[in-house]
Amino acid sequence: MTTARRYYHITTFGCQMNKADSERMAGILENMGFEWSEDPNQADIILYNTCTIRDNAEQKVYSYLGRQAKRKHEKPDLTLIVAGCVAQQEGEALLRRVPELDLVMGPQHANRLQDLLQQVFEGNQVVATEPIHIMEDITKPRRDSTVTAWVNVIYGCNERCTYCVVPNVRGVEQSRTPKAIRAEIEELGRQGYKEITLLGQNIDAYGRDLPGVTAEGRHQHTFTDLLYFVHDVPGIERLRFATSHPRYFTERLIRACAELPKVCEHFHIPFQSGDNEVLKRMARGYTQEKYRRIIDTIRKYIPDAAISADAIVGFPGETEQQFQNTLKLVEDIGFDQLNTAAYSPRPGTPAAQWSDQIDEEVKSDRLQRLNHLVATKAAERSQRYLGRIEEVLVEDQNPKDKTQVMGRTRTNRLTFFTGDINQLKGKLVKVKITEARAFSLTGEPIELPAPILV
Ligand code: SAH
Ligand code: SF4
Ligand code: F3S
């Protein structure tokens, strides 16, 4: 007789929220006795945690699913799950499209995976996409890294950017309590984690839904208050956060970042377009002038801060001149990194209905021109590191050169240097930068931690 070991596999698409959800769902599956299988074809449970931000992200899932649906005909006890944003968007329709599916579950249901699976094992085909209050989950996530960790602070998004599916698929804003967030970070500190990234789609909205107002009439639990509340957790050396929204970004937050030593000098603040008319049609709620003022203020307090952002080209109605305004903003600001995308019409969003859609060729031409400028500017920004000594938190081996380790500077530049991962993983190392490329650096350690004595 063989004891039945049961395996699961998760493939994750999309943003850091999805990655964080996947780690929690993996924790639940391990708690239920399933073991990780790198190869989906060896797994008894396959979970796709999906993204629908652009059409190509959504289509990817269907091709993966098709293959596993076929496999299910040979292995009927295979459990097939679609979680995440495509699940939320499509719901029941996914079952009609792929009848082999056992479970379709939206992002708000991630913590309920065990209950939902129980229903599946009782022979049901389950769809869980109704809006619910997300419960604190006590199961330990299975985290990919032992050095850096994500911590959700606010779920959902109450904005209505006219191109974006996120509010439809992630639901309304729901902040976790400062106490629950701090408790999770303290536990991570005890486990030896060194760096925490606080996550929210619009992190500046943190606390708006929590009770409590100060004497000055402001919410008691703003994101800035949260930073003060968690920054001194023992063991944690670095704090990061994403994503900031220019509409709500405050000088008070910048001052807190300048003041709190663990908060890293990196800001991710998507601007989407450098043209005011386009920004208005996107319903972003700020102008390019306001965006520039935010960056100026950051640089006033923290001159060396790295700035990254997201931008969209080819939004409906975008003229060449309006696109040029995006190029101008990128030229002027000098981003350390910029995630760019061609506009993709999404189901259930206003802009998808508009008649002034831009031709695909025009979009991809603009994307190429923007990407070219981004790489040029990033390479310029990288030059400032040459000869400098940077603190690098070592995360892993360089997969392309096993004699090297890799980590990030406080400003989030990926950095490689020669070293032994067994000795250096999780260590903060002072590295003298000797080579600078657009998006990464190479250096030499000038001060290594004491070797581990055996
Ligand atoms: N909450 C963040 C971003 C969430 S989505 C913010 O408000 O900035 C991540 C990025 O995907 C966005 O910043 C945007 O640049 C891009 N994006 C969102 N919807 C898109 C669409 N329909 N087409 C192309 N890019 C899109
Ligand atoms: Fe989407 Fe706008 Fe919300 Fe960001 S702020 S997730 S772009 S709706
Ligand atoms: Fe994608 Fe959902 Fe994140 S649509 S970008 S996985 S919130």
Side-chain angles (χ1 to χ4, degrees):
M1 200 188 98
T2 53
T3 43
R5 295 174 73 163
R6 308 259 292 153
Y7 294 92
Y8 75 96
H9 175 88
I10 299 182
T11 299
T12 308
F13 306 87
C15 65
Q16 293 164 324
M17 313 284 154
N18 258 19
K19 295 189 178 127
D21 290 348
S22 285
E23 291 184 345
R24 289 210 307 280
M25 292 191 284
I28 294 172
L29 291 170
E30 303 226 331
N31 201 35
M32 292 173 73
F34 292 95
E35 291 172 56
W36 168 255
S37 162
E38 186 65 37
D39 177 3
N41 294 319
Q42 301 296 320
D44 305 286
I45 294 186
I46 293 178
L47 188 154
Y48 292 118
N49 197 10
T50 60
C51 172
T52 182
I53 199 78
R54 287 178 283 275
D55 188 57
N56 54 8
E58 181 179 350
Q59 295 315 320
K60 226 188 270 172
V61 179
Y62 296 124
S63 71
Y64 278 61
L65 255 184
R67 262 171 273 154
Q68 291 305 332
K70 226 179 261 159
R71 198 176 134 228
K72 186 156 177 170
H73 292 280
E74 291 137 40
K75 181 180 160 54
D77 65 344
L78 175 67
T79 302
L80 267 184
I81 308 173
V82 176
C85 297
V86 174
Q88 187 65 38
Q89 176 183 286
E90 297 299 311
E92 298 266 347
L94 259 179
L95 290 188
R96 287 194 291 276
R97 184 165 179 164
V98 187
E100 292 85 351
L101 274 175
D102 296 288
L103 172 56
V104 174
M105 54 187 286
Q108 296 180 48
H109 295 261
N111 292 355
R112 295 185 57 222
L113 180 58
Q114 178 156 7
D115 283 355
L116 297 170
L117 267 178
Q118 230 77 64
Q119 295 173 40
V120 168
F121 296 150
E122 282 159 21
N124 302 302
Q125 226 177 359
V126 182
V127 177
T129 51
E130 68 283 7
I132 54 161
H133 184 86
I134 300 168
M135 302 299 282
E136 279 296 329
D137 181 20
I138 41 151
T139 318
K140 234 172 88 183
R142 176 192 186 271
R143 301 193 192 254
D144 283 343
S145 165
T146 53
V147 180
T148 65
W150 290 300
V151 172
N152 289 97
V153 306
I154 178 168
Y155 304 106
C157 179
N158 287 6
E159 297 300 303
R160 282 289 175 272
C161 303
T162 51
Y163 50 83
C164 185
V165 287
V166 170
N168 302 347
V169 293
R170 289 265 161 182
V172 294
E173 288 167 2
Q174 185 191 322
S175 303
R176 292 176 69 200
T177 64
K179 237 173 99 185
I181 295 165
R182 185 168 168 118
E184 182 173 352
I185 300 176
E186 282 176 350
E187 177 59 26
L188 289 164
R190 279 192 289 273
Q191 290 168 19
Y193 284 86
K194 295 289 177 345
E195 180 180 298
I196 301 294
T197 304
L198 304 172
L199 289 184
Q201 279 298 356
N202 170 7
I203 207 156
D204 309 87
Y206 177 78
R208 287 201 288 217
D209 57 321
L210 295 175
V213 172
T214 63
E216 303 92 61
R218 112 184 124 64
H219 284 283
Q220 210 156 27
H221 307 290
T222 65
F223 180 62
T224 307
D225 297 305
L226 182 71
L227 275 185
Y228 281 107
F229 186 63
V230 302
H231 87 279
D232 64 344
V233 169
I236 304 301
E237 307 272 3
R238 291 175 164 190
L239 278 176
R240 303 183 183 280
F241 56 90
T243 301
S244 305
H245 195 306
R247 184 182 214 159
Y248 306 103
F249 202 85
T250 63
E251 187 161 348
R252 188 167 167 259
L253 174 60
I254 301 171
R255 280 204 307 268
C257 296
E259 194 179 306
L260 297 172
K262 291 183 186 176
V263 179
C264 291
E265 296 76 20
H266 169 227
F267 296 85
H268 182 69
I269 319 177
F271 62 89
Q272 311 302 0
S273 166
D275 182 83
N276 287 346
E277 184 53 37
V278 174
L279 284 171
K280 198 183 244 169
R281 286 158 48 91
M282 288 175 162
R284 289 288 289 179
Y286 55 87
T287 58
Q288 57 96 10
E289 289 86 357
K290 169 154 186 198
Y291 188 83
R292 287 170 191 263
R293 278 198 300 276
I294 293 172
I295 306 303
D296 286 347
T297 312
I298 292 174
R299 288 182 170 158
K300 187 175 93 191
Y301 285 97
I302 312 170
D304 191 50
I307 313 287
S308 63
D310 304 344
I312 298 175
V313 301
F315 186 72
E318 184 189 68
T319 63
E320 172 62 24
Q321 184 52 49
Q322 290 171 332
F323 169 65
Q324 294 277 344
N325 287 337
T326 293
L327 290 179
K328 178 88 171 61
L329 186 75
V330 172
E331 177 71 47
D332 293 348
I333 302 260
F335 290 95
D336 293 84
Q337 189 129 23
L338 184 68
N339 307 319
T340 59
Y343 169 74
S344 167
R346 304 310 294 131
T349 60
Q353 308 294 322
W354 298 347
S355 56
D356 48 358
Q357 302 291 325
I358 305 291
D359 285 348
E360 288 305 321
E361 303 85 80
V362 176
K363 284 191 221 173
S364 65
D365 171 63
R366 287 180 188 170
L367 188 59
Q368 266 185 34
R369 283 152 68 200
L370 178 58
N371 285 344
H372 182 75
L373 179 62
V374 168
T376 310
K377 300 304 282 188
E380 276 174 38
R381 287 286 287 165
S382 269
Q383 291 305 308
R384 75 189 197 284
Y385 292 105
L386 277 177
R388 261 168 50 171
I389 291 163
E390 291 288 314
E391 178 201 275
V392 175
L393 174 60
V394 178
E395 293 177 33
D396 250 314
Q397 213 165 38
N398 176 358
K400 290 189 192 140
D401 179 351
K402 302 262 189 274
T403 67
Q404 288 188 331
V405 296
M406 62 181 193
R408 287 174 187 276
T409 64
R410 286 177 60 97
T411 50
N412 211 35
R413 266 286 188 270
L414 191 60
T415 306
F416 304 99
F417 65 92
T418 302
D420 175 3
I421 191 64
N422 297 316
Q423 187 198 348
L424 295 174
K425 192 166 195 158
K427 298 278 191 302
L428 291 164
V429 181
K430 295 255 187 288
V431 177
K432 182 166 184 181
I433 305 304
T434 52
E435 275 175 56
R437 292 164 300 274
F439 302 106
S440 64
L441 307 168
T442 302
E444 290 159 4
I446 58 160
E447 188 188 290
L448 282 176
I452 306 159
L453 301 172
V454 198

